[in-house]
Amino acid sequence: MGTVISNERLADNVYHLRVSGDYGGEMGQFYMLRAWGAYPVLSRPLSIHQVEDNGIEFLYHVVGEGTELFAQLTPGDDINLEGPFGSGFPAVTGRVALVGGGIGIAPLLYCAREIPGCDVYLGFSREPFRTEEFRPYAAKLTVDVGGLILDNVDFAEYDHIFVCGPHPMLKAAQLKGIAAATSGSPVNVYLSLENRMACGIGACLVCSVSCKDGQRKACADGPVFLAEEVVFHD
Amino acid sequence: MIKTGDSSSRNTELDLSARIAGVTFKNPIVMASGTFGFGKEYAKFYDVNELGGISGKGLTLQPKAGNQGTRVYETASGMLNSVGLENPGVAAFLDKECAYWETLDTVRIVNLGGNTFEDYVAGAELIQKDADTRGRKAVDMIELNISCPNVKEGGIAFGIRTCDARELVRAVRQATSLPLSVKLSPNAEDIADMALMCQEEGADAVSLINTISGMKIDVRRRRSVFNNLYAGLSGPAIKPIALRMVHQVAQRVEIPVIGMGGISSATDIIEFIMAGAAVIQVGTYNFMNMRAGQDLLRDLRQFMLEENIASLDEIRGII
Ligand SMILES: Cc1cc2nc3c(=O)[nH]c(=O)nc-3n(C[C@H](O)[C@H](O)[C@H](O)COP(=O)(O)OP(=O)(O)OC[C@H]3O[C@@H](n4cnc5c(N)ncnc54)[C@H](O)[C@@H]3O)c2cc1C
Ligand SMILES: Cc1cc2nc3c(=O)[nH]c(=O)nc-3n(C[C@H](O)[C@H](O)[C@H](O)COP(=O)(O)O)c2cc1C
Ligand code: FES
């Protein structure tokens, strides 16, 4: 059980939650959060935004019942955290770009801290948030509002690209990665997927991801996958 | 939560055990198929040997990739799932997962599904052959799943009408000497009739209920959320229905009843036992509490102490 340190509203429906306690984790991993009893039934997966000495931070978008309950948390409240879970972004070297769309920037701040000299691309449909936090770590910081952030990224320039954002953006990143490779600039594109989850630990198979080599679990084998391995059905 | 001193010494005298076809469950808490993998994942959170048993992820003769599209949707106090029996197949289970099961000190139940009559029987034969030839103890019981609502052929097709299921239960009974429970569907035409048929065909127990067929429509996209149209409802929302069905079945059959559906507290367990269940299973509650087994066992003991129940036999089937 963790205790809420702060739960600050950053933009329309976007909140920054800080929880005290001995919580760790690696970049791209997530926690299952629960700030209620029996209802809603399922806990909610949120990516690690930052790990601090005295606690852990999340960045979330209010989209439904569970995240609405998170938004009501005030300092001192109890919150149940289970994790860290999943297999996150790999520790890579070389030319690295981090590309986040909307709330998809959440897991990338931790990556920026861990990967010195990376380029950071952050895209928002409306009001941007948390962009300045990236600046100390980024070699180059690009912020776009209202456009398609991927349009700013030249895939041929990088060895590794980490992408987190809405579903269409992940599919587009996969295609750009393939296009770069076929034109002679192979690049490892890593996608953080957001499948619906129940157990969060690999036991129930509701989060299954179709991959080239068969079904994988988003919660345990992912949420981060090499883009070329994922088979998108829609 | 357990009090020290007097009550903890009484704690050791509590009898939570149950027997089904010669298999002893140390307590009535068994983890339900499809919600607990083969136990390995939850073993990181608590000692799964504390459990009465584990029913593994449903297996079919051939590996299955399961359903495409959305597989889970939350509902009021419940959830719909459309996993579609994704599993590695019986042979891969015997080769890979069974080694882990051999190390466990809890009742290990293979949940066996199928597409066709022949698949079910061949699956049961394979499990029996493995037990015979390797002579190892890794499987204590087979739970025959004739009630999965999430696969197109087979599965539930056998679980609706008693006459369709009879031959299957008979054939699987002949294929294995392992203790056999048949997992029944709440969507059956007459679940008590179905249970009676299982008893007549030599099943050692019946397990109920599997999920209830349900639906969710995405009104903006104007289509069902699930590629398969319908999905299986589980969780606290289904408990009253499950409890009623367990009671109805327990009234009709002599064989033990393994009861489940929405159990999420020690008092829920007590209700199922009072309704006649020998042991119970916990499914969706594992997603609400990762230490479900451990916490339920602690609370169940506490309840027995508070209510002066020394053995669950005192209250089993009293309603
Ligand atoms: C690994 C992972 C990491 C995530 N990290 C973040 C993050 O850092 N910040 C953030 O704002 N969001 C993140 N999400 C998405 C977040 O989990 C959902 O927005 C949230 O669960 C919605 O819950 P709700 O009750 O508000 O919405 P509802 O729509 O009421 O939720 C109903 C059910 O659907 C599930 N669900 C709904 N939307 C999503 C979704 N996009 N992804 C997965 N499950 C969903 C819920 O968990 C719940 O079970 C992440 C998802 C995953 C899988
Ligand atoms: C995600 C999920 C997967 C399931 N898979 C199986 C399965 O493979 N075989 C089976 O017999 N039952 C399966 N079930 C049904 C459960 O074992 C149980 O009968 C049902 O969920 C009711 O119990 P509950 O309300 O405690 O979850 C599954 C249930 C869920 C939620
Ligand atoms: S959420 Fe249960 S296996 Fe991934």
Side-chain angles (χ1 to χ4, degrees):
Chain A
M1 192 70 83
T3 306
V4 174
I5 305 171
S6 67
N7 188 28
E8 190 194 344
R9 186 181 164 284
L10 299 182
D12 205 18
N13 285 326
V14 176
Y15 288 76
H16 178 207
L17 172 68
R18 294 167 64 223
V19 179
S20 71
D22 185 16
Y23 298 106
E26 287 160 18
M27 34 178 189
Q29 285 192 305
F30 67 95
Y31 275 77
M32 295 295 281
L33 286 82
R34 200 174 179 91
W36 50 81
Y39 186 85
V41 167
L42 301 175
S43 304
R44 300 312 195 232
L46 291 183
S47 303
I48 298 172
H49 181 51
Q50 275 206 101
V51 177
E52 299 290 355
D53 288 342
N54 58 348
I56 190 157
E57 303 184 8
F58 302 94
L59 201 63
Y60 63 93
H61 191 190
V62 175
V63 295
E65 221 168 345
T67 45
E68 248 157 46
L69 289 169
F70 291 154
Q72 287 163 23
L73 291 169
T74 54
D77 285 350
D78 286 338
I79 179 162
N80 194 47
L81 262 59
E82 298 281 5
F85 297 134
S87 158
F89 291 106
V92 293
T93 51
R95 298 168 302 165
V96 182
L98 311 181
V99 189
I103 197 66
I105 72 165
L108 299 182
L109 183 60
Y110 194 7
C111 303
R113 271 175 36 162
E114 299 284 303
I115 304 172
C118 60
D119 289 348
V120 178
Y121 299 86
L122 307 175
F124 302 87
S125 54
R126 281 172 294 154
E127 204 183 342
F129 47 86
R130 292 291 277 177
T131 54
E132 287 315 303
E133 280 69 18
F134 284 84
R135 202 171 293 282
Y137 312 111
K140 185 176 90 178
L141 176 66
T142 308
V143 176
D144 177 88
V145 179
L148 296 174
I149 187 65
L150 277 175
D151 290 348
N152 300 285
V153 190
D154 180 0
F155 275 45
E157 274 183 32
Y158 298 100
D159 302 311
H160 307 280
I161 303 181
F162 294 180
V163 187
C164 186
H167 194 68
M169 176 171 157
L170 301 182
K171 284 200 296 187
Q174 183 192 47
L175 294 178
K176 283 194 82 161
I178 294 167
T182 38
S183 59
S185 305
V187 51
N188 292 317
V189 179
Y190 294 92
L191 308 177
S192 182
L193 303 189
E194 276 193 9
N195 287 27
R196 284 168 184 258
M197 294 179 177
C199 73
I201 57 173
C204 74
L205 306 184
V206 304
C207 67
S208 200
V209 180
S210 295
C211 287
K212 279 195 183 140
D213 60 351
Q215 296 300 122
R216 309 272 291 275
K217 301 165 186 172
C219 66
D221 302 318
V224 175
F225 291 89
L226 252 183
E228 64 205 48
E229 286 174 6
V230 179
V231 180
F232 288 114
H233 289 280
D234 58 344
Chain B
M1 274 232 185
I2 306 270
K3 293 184 203 103
T4 50
D6 189 28
S7 56
S8 74
S9 61
R10 279 173 54 210
N11 187 30
T12 56
E13 295 158 21
L14 296 177
D15 182 7
L16 285 83
S17 69
R19 280 171 81 81
I20 298 178
V23 177
T24 302
F25 295 74
K26 30 181 135 150
N27 63 63
I29 301 172
V30 178
M31 290 314 178
S33 178
T35 65
F36 207 70
F38 297 107
K40 243 185 243 165
E41 290 82 11
Y42 284 97
K44 291 172 198 148
F45 294 87
Y46 62 96
D47 182 3
V48 296
N49 292 310
E50 287 180 35
L51 296 169
I54 297 172
S55 179
K57 173 64 205 164
L59 298 170
T60 51
L61 184 63
Q62 304 295 339
K64 262 176 95 80
N67 293 336
Q68 289 304 334
T70 300
R71 287 186 174 189
V72 62
Y73 204 93
E74 198 165 336
T75 63
S77 294
M79 60 176 270
L80 287 160
N81 92 79
S82 181
V83 171
L85 282 183
E86 177 180 338
N87 80 91
V90 173
F93 163 77
L94 294 170
D95 285 346
K96 297 199 184 100
E97 306 291 342
C98 248
Y100 174 65
W101 272 23
E102 274 182 288
T103 68
L104 295 183
D105 174 25
T106 184
V107 175
R108 297 142 302 182
I109 304 170
V110 165
N111 181 277
L112 180 66
N115 282 338
T116 64
F117 183 92
E118 291 74 24
D119 279 2
Y120 274 107
V121 176
E125 281 169 355
L126 213 56
I127 296 162
Q128 182 67 43
K129 200 173 121 212
D130 184 81
D132 293 344
T133 56
R134 298 207 206 174
R136 64 179 180 183
K137 280 291 290 165
V139 175
D140 300 299
M141 184 179 283
I142 294 181
E143 185 171 61
L144 184 68
N145 176 12
I146 58 166
S147 47
C148 182
N150 293 329
V151 288
K152 285 229 169 70
E153 332 83 49
I156 192 133
F158 290 102
I160 305 286
R161 296 169 60 202
T162 307
C163 57
D164 295 334
R166 185 181 291 275
E167 267 194 58
L168 179 65
V169 175
R170 184 178 298 164
V172 171
R173 176 69 291 176
Q174 275 165 11
T176 179
S177 59
L178 285 161
L180 177 69
S181 181
V182 182
K183 186 156 174 186
L184 306 180
S185 170
N187 309 306
E189 278 181 356
D190 181 340
I191 199 165
D193 199 48
M194 190 70 95
L196 201 57
M197 175 278 289
C198 295
Q199 173 173 296
E200 285 163 11
E201 296 301 334
D204 298 295
V206 283
S207 304
L208 63 142
I209 60 175
N210 207 318
T211 55
I212 302 176
S213 180
M215 188 177 190
K216 167 74 193 173
I217 294 172
D218 181 335
V219 291
R220 300 207 184 273
R221 295 170 71 194
R222 303 184 179 196
R223 47 163 295 215
S224 168
V225 160
F226 299 102
N227 288 7
N228 245 11
L229 199 59
Y230 305 145
L233 183 66
S234 65
I238 72 170
K239 203 200 89 187
I241 300 171
L243 187 63
R244 184 262 294 171
M245 288 184 163
V246 165
H247 184 256
Q248 274 180 326
V249 166
Q251 299 289 307
R252 281 283 286 283
V253 297
E254 306 290 321
I255 53 176
V257 176
I258 301 176
M260 77 198 81
I263 290 174
S264 59
S265 69
T267 50
D268 288 349
I269 297 175
I270 296 287
E271 282 191 76
F272 274 79
I273 289 180
M274 286 183 171
V279 299
I280 59 89
Q281 291 186 7
V282 176
T284 303
Y285 185 57
N286 287 301
F287 311 148
M288 302 163 68
N289 176 359
M290 291 193 174
R291 293 165 194 79
Q294 194 175 49
D295 290 355
L296 288 173
L297 187 59
R298 178 199 62 208
D299 295 350
L300 185 60
R301 288 213 169 97
Q302 185 67 29
F303 181 88
M304 290 173 74
L305 290 174
E306 282 167 16
E307 293 291 316
N308 268 314
I309 301 166
S311 162
L312 290 177
D313 287 338
E314 293 168 26
I315 56 163
R316 190 168 281 114
I318 58 168
I319 307 291

